[in-house]
Amino acid sequence: MLIWRLVLGFSLAAVLVGLAWLDARSAVPGVWLMPVLLVFTAAGADELARLLSAAEAPGNRFWLIVGAVATTAAAWAAWLCPVLTPADAGLVTLATMGLAMAGAMIAEMIRYRQPGQTSRRLAATGMGLVYLGLPAALLVHLRMQFGMSAVLTMLAAVKLGDVGAYTVGRLIGRRKLVPKISPGKTIEGAVGHLAFAAGGAYLCLTALPAQFASWGLAPAPAGKALLVGLVLGVAGMLGDLAESLLKRDAGLKDSSRWLPGFGGVLDMIDSLLLAAPIAWLCWRFVLGG
């Protein structure tokens, strides 16, 4: 399973890098990556709705999926509109998410018959939009505001961190990290996660820009690169644990079983969900974007 997971993971990464290469050279930024992000957002929202239902906190599946996708798409459309500023694009993102929540509330008004589950459904829907829809939109802002280098660096740090955690944990992991939430995670794996994440950020921000200037990779001092990698590594681990908490509460091992060795879409992107806002903050305030 370890070899299968590594081979499949690197194959998916190669496809993503190819799409990023096309996207970086496109006249319309995001045109190659947005379809992938929207599909993953929709599938992840559907799986999240399934987890919430299994945990007896069902949200409105329709508005959770539509709201997450619409929030992500609206962020991209706002950046492409020449009359809107970056601040406007952020407000459009939040307004779209608010409209999705309003739609969920109107749907509950229509279906209401007696006291019971209304508040729980609305709370679950709102949590899903903030947990999934907002980070997906922030990935768009990261791409449009700071360029492909920001996206590549975040993906390299977070996903190499996942590879480090899984590999080191499987090979030498002994001491459990948080057994009540995720029995398979170890302290040794967490150390591997941080080391690989820091290495990924260093590779993208310091070691490679001179050779890959056409990607728009701006060089950064080694200290800043390692710091950003460690911060993104911590965020990625917390994102992974957050989804593990939801699965544990729902009594499920995977968000779905469509991809052996990885689980579902939500299992693949969980570490990115908490890393996306942290990445935006890093580029805005640490790397001087």
Side-chain angles (χ1 to χ4, degrees), residues 1-9 163 166-168 170-171 261:
M1 182 62 74
L2 174 59
I3 299 300
W4 160 253
R5 182 161 181 161
L6 290 175
V7 169
L8 187 57
V163 171
Y166 187 80
T167 304
V168 175
R170 284 291 300 269
L171 294 176

Side-chain angles (χ1 to χ4, degrees), residues 6-226:
L6 290 175
V7 169
L8 187 57
F10 280 110
S11 298
L12 292 173
V15 172
L16 185 61
V17 169
L19 291 174
W21 183 85
L22 292 170
D23 198 274
R25 285 155 177 77
S26 173
V28 181
V31 70
W32 286 94
L33 292 177
M34 276 303 299
V36 177
L37 180 59
L38 292 176
V39 168
F40 271 60
T41 300
D46 182 67
E47 292 176 5
L48 178 59
R50 173 175 174 262
L51 289 180
L52 294 173
S53 295
E56 299 183 358
N60 187 310
R61 183 185 297 267
F62 175 82
W63 282 107
L64 178 52
I65 297 173
V66 170
V69 171
T71 299
T72 307
W76 186 48
W79 273 101
L80 294 179
C81 182
V83 300
L84 296 181
T85 66
D88 292 333
L91 292 175
V92 168
T93 300
L94 294 177
T96 304
M97 189 169 65
L99 288 173
M101 194 65 213
M105 296 188 76
I106 293 172
E108 290 299 328
M109 295 177 194
I110 295 173
R111 72 185 293 183
Y112 183 80
R113 296 294 182 271
Q114 60 185 10
Q117 298 293 316
T118 298
S119 296
R120 183 177 294 183
R121 279 195 296 268
L122 288 173
T125 304
M127 186 277 286
L129 290 174
V130 173
Y131 172 68
L132 181 62
L134 188 56
L138 282 170
L139 288 175
V140 176
H141 286 279
L142 197 66
R143 164 68 180 100
M144 304 299 284
Q145 187 170 0
F146 302 116
M148 187 60 70
S149 62
V151 178
L152 290 176
T153 302
M154 189 206 71
L155 289 174
V158 174
K159 300 316 290 184
L160 281 177
D162 288 346
V163 171
Y166 187 80
T167 304
V168 175
R170 284 291 300 269
L171 294 176
I172 62 172
R174 297 293 181 271
R175 292 169 290 182
K176 300 298 183 181
L177 182 64
V178 279
K180 290 186 178 180
I181 296 177
S182 184
K185 291 181 174 57
T186 63
I187 294 176
E188 294 83 359
V191 173
H193 186 118
L194 295 178
F196 275 57
Y202 175 81
L203 188 68
C204 287
L205 290 174
T206 303
L208 292 182
Q211 288 76 26
F212 295 92
S214 60
W215 287 87
L217 294 168
K224 278 190 176 182
L226 293 173

